[in-house]
């Protein structure tokens, strides 16, 4: 290698060229050194240009500052099974600028309609309700015992703060749990059960509890709310499935802002009472009688060591929405959505579902004369806890997948099996 080559290496690999720098001191051509400096400057400029181009090609965020503020307020608002009205009003207020009509059914399912009155009807749907508790028994000493309202996990309850929604407003309380060195049964490590977890509101008699407006049947929700973690993870209570409500509202926003005209009526549906048997979807499917239904809900991130992938499959947050095979999922509609994802380079993951999906997909698929239905799921960690975790990329990719599917879909799309 000659001196000129050594000099070039010295300039290109800063910090690793001591030998070459010393050799430059023996090189007499100032003109050559000037050329080397020019070469180095051009190299740096090209590298910066490449970085700028790379940043420019990165997809713009679907979530705007305004929609992000809505997401936070929507997650932080209580919307327990049977009492979804509290959250539905927030949702409708946000959705209103992006739809043409709206209605609410007798049990609280909220619906926004885009391009109403068309013979062909498409639904995009999520469910609005969150798991919670009911006040079931008030002891003489003021402790409050509860009954499940949906699939709430009693094992996470001890030590958590709650809101009791009574007749006089919200009363704060805690799931009290005696210290490990004092509680009866400590030798065998007493486990939380529905019958031994209770709420303490700071009062010491049944009369005082009732004076606060707390009554049998009052609903109890957790206080935990929305927060952000590292690497674009969101954490909060009831992402199952208010994140779905957020995403279908964002689809409606994108259609409006991009001035898209659909060749069918689109029903944006936020259903109630999914957590206790898909009841809201049952009712609204019979009322709307859609030709196609696209359902979004959450599914399990199976990366935790306590989950068996051989049983639950392999799904992870940040790797895209999950599509699934199952009897209620229409195969041709599923293939249609898969092709849309492929064409728009939207990553997806796959699951197999036995018998039922366990989501509102089942209610729409088997309603009326049958409705081609597909499920697009959001990967989520720690379902039915106060720290449900999702990833921003999955939120945006699910929104994009629904949006692009709606643009591709038409009344002429062939979904016939034969």
């Amino acid at each position: 290698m000659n001196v000129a080559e050594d000099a070039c290496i010295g300039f290109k690999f800063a910090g690793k060229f001591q030998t070459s720098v010393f050799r430059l001191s023996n090189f007499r051509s100032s003109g050559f050194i000037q050329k080397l400096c020019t070469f180095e400057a051009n190299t740096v400029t090209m590298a910066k240009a490449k970085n700028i181009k790379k940043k420019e090609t990165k997809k713009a965020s679907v979530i705007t500052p305004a929609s992000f503020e809505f997401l936070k307020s929507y997650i932080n608002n209580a919307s327990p099974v049977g009492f979804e009205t509290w959250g539905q009003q927030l949702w409708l207020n946000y959705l209103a600028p992006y739809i043409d009509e709206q209605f609410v059914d007798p049990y609280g399912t909220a619906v926004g309609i885009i391009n109403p009155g068309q013979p062909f009807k498409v639904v995009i749907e999520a469910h609005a309700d969150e798991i919670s508790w009911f006040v079931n028994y008030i002891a003489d000493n003021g402790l409050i015992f509860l009954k499940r309202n949906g699939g709430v996990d009693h094992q996470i309850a001890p030590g958590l703060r709650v809101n009791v929604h009574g007749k006089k407003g919200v009363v704060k309380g805690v799931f009290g749990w005696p210290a490990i060195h004092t509680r009866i049964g400590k030798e065998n490590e007493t486990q939380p059960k529905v019958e031994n977890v209770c709420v303490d509101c700071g009062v010491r008699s049944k009369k005082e509890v009732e004076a606060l407006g707390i009554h049998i049947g009052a609903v109890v929700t957790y206080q935990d709310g929305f927060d952000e973690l590292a690497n674009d993870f969101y954490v909060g209570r009831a992402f199952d499935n208010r994140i779905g409500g957020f995403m279908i509202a964002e689809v409606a926003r994108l259609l409006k802002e991009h001035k898209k005209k659909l060749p069918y009526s689109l029903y944006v549906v936020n259903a109630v009472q999914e957590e206790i048997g898909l009841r809201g979807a049952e009712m609204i499917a019979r009322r709307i009688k859609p030709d196609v239904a696209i359902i979004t809900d959450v599914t399990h991130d199976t990366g935790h060591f306590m989950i068996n992938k051989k049983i639950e499959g392999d799904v992870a947050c940040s790797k895209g929405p999950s599509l699934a095979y199952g009897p209620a999922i229409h195969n041709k509609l599923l293939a249609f959505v898969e092709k849309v994802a492929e064409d728009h380079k939207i990553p997806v993951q796959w699951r197999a579902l036995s018998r039922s999906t366990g989501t509102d997909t089942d209610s729409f698929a088997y309603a009326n004369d049958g409705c081609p239905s597909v499920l697009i799921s959001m990967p989520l960690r720690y379902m039915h806890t106060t720290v449900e975790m999702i990833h921003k990329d999955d939120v945006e990719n699910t929104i994009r997948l629904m949006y692009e599917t709606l643009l591709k879909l038409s009344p002429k799309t062939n979904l016939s099996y034969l």
Side-chain angles (χ1 to χ4, degrees):
M1 183 178 291
N2 60 34
V3 178
E5 288 172 333
D6 284 346
C8 288
I9 291 173
F11 273 86
K12 287 177 71 176
F13 298 98
K16 297 182 181 179
F17 59 96
Q18 291 85 349
T19 302
S20 297
V21 170
F22 288 123
R23 287 178 183 172
L24 278 172
S25 65
N26 296 323
F27 200 78
R28 304 302 181 196
S29 173
S30 59
F32 179 71
I33 292 174
Q34 185 178 3
K35 288 179 181 178
L36 282 174
C37 291
T38 303
F39 170 79
E40 178 67 12
N42 289 339
T43 303
V44 171
T45 302
M46 289 171 64
K48 287 181 178 178
K50 284 182 179 178
N51 287 336
I52 291 169
K53 188 175 181 181
K54 188 175 182 181
K55 287 179 182 177
E56 287 175 348
T57 56
K58 186 178 180 181
K59 285 187 174 65
S61 177
V62 173
I63 301 173
T64 67
S67 61
F68 187 60
E69 288 304 311
F70 165 66
L71 172 61
K72 290 189 287 187
S73 64
Y74 188 46
I75 295 301
N76 290 337
N77 183 79
S79 187
V81 181
F83 299 83
E84 297 91 350
T85 305
W86 307 336
Q88 294 290 62
Q89 190 61 63
L90 270 178
W91 185 79
L92 279 174
N93 290 345
Y94 179 75
L95 186 69
Y98 314 124
I99 56 175
D100 300 311
E101 294 179 4
Q102 66 180 56
F103 70 88
V104 179
D105 84 353
Y107 272 83
T109 290
V111 181
I113 311 173
I114 296 172
N115 194 26
Q118 303 304 309
F120 196 82
K121 293 179 282 188
V122 176
V123 159
I124 54 172
E125 192 260 13
H127 71 84
D129 52 316
E130 67 174 289
I131 54 174
S132 55
W133 300 87
F134 280 126
V135 171
N136 188 50
Y137 171 71
I138 304 170
D140 291 339
N141 63 1
L143 294 178
I144 301 169
F145 292 82
L146 308 173
K147 180 174 287 188
R148 287 191 182 96
N149 185 20
V152 66
D153 186 352
H154 56 276
Q155 294 195 65
I156 71 162
L160 292 181
R161 303 180 187 207
V162 298
N163 289 325
V164 184
H165 302 269
K167 291 181 178 178
K168 296 181 180 180
V170 172
V171 179
K172 296 183 183 300
V174 299
F175 270 108
W177 192 247
I180 190 169
H181 42 290
T182 64
R183 59 180 177 258
I184 295 171
K186 63 182 180 180
E187 297 82 4
N188 298 317
E189 193 52 50
T190 301
Q191 297 297 312
K193 302 175 183 176
V194 174
E195 58 267 28
N196 68 8
V197 294
C198 59
V199 169
D200 188 337
C201 292
V203 297
R204 291 296 173 262
S205 72
K206 181 177 181 179
K207 187 175 181 180
E208 288 182 47
V209 171
E210 292 171 341
L212 293 172
I214 297 173
H215 57 93
I216 303 302
V219 71
V220 179
T221 58
Y222 293 114
Q223 290 184 18
D224 301 63
F226 180 93
D227 210 342
E228 296 178 74
L229 301 180
N231 300 317
D232 286 332
F233 273 97
Y234 300 148
V235 62
R237 184 194 82 251
F239 279 132
D240 177 13
N241 179 35
R242 286 213 289 279
I243 192 60
F246 170 74
M247 292 189 297
I248 59 176
E250 289 298 273
V251 171
R253 177 179 65 81
L254 292 176
L255 290 169
K256 181 74 171 183
E257 291 179 353
H258 294 165
K259 297 179 171 58
K260 299 298 183 181
K261 179 71 173 177
L262 300 175
Y264 50 80
S265 293
L266 178 65
Y267 290 74
V268 187
V269 177
N270 210 8
V272 299
Q273 298 192 26
E274 187 270 355
E275 296 289 356
I276 48 91
L278 323 180
R279 300 305 186 191
E282 244 179 60
M283 292 181 278
I284 203 66
R286 288 197 292 265
R287 178 167 177 170
I288 296 173
K289 296 180 174 59
D291 297 285
V292 171
I294 300 170
I295 314 303
T296 184
D297 206 330
V298 295
T299 189
H300 302 286
D301 176 315
T302 60
H304 195 279
F305 69 91
M306 293 176 70
I307 299 176
N308 187 343
K309 289 186 179 182
K310 293 177 182 177
I311 296 172
E312 300 294 341
D314 190 3
V315 174
C317 290
S318 81
K319 294 185 177 181
S322 172
L323 299 177
Y325 289 96
I329 295 169
H330 195 277
N331 292 327
K332 292 199 72 172
L333 181 57
L334 177 62
F336 182 87
V337 174
E338 181 185 7
K339 183 65 165 58
V340 170
E342 181 183 325
D343 290 345
H344 293 275
K345 296 180 171 54
I346 300 171
V348 295
Q349 304 178 76
W350 289 93
R351 297 179 300 144
L353 302 172
S354 177
R355 295 177 66 85
S356 70
T357 69
T359 72
D360 285 341
T361 311
D362 302 325
S363 291
F364 278 92
Y366 302 130
N368 307 304
D369 297 328
C371 171
S373 302
V374 70
L375 174 62
I376 304 176
S377 298
M378 163 71 57
L380 175 145
R381 295 180 186 172
Y382 317 126
M383 193 182 295
H384 287 195
T385 73
T386 60
V387 291
E388 293 181 339
M389 285 176 60
I390 58 175
H391 197 275
K392 179 183 178 181
D393 287 353
D394 295 331
V395 178
E396 299 211 333
N397 281 321
T398 304
I399 293 168
R400 289 176 57 221
L401 183 55
M402 286 191 287
Y403 174 76
E404 298 295 349
T405 298
L406 292 177
L407 294 183
K408 185 73 173 176
L409 190 65
S410 83
K412 295 180 180 179
T413 301
N414 182 12
L415 298 177
S416 175
Y417 274 155
L418 299 174

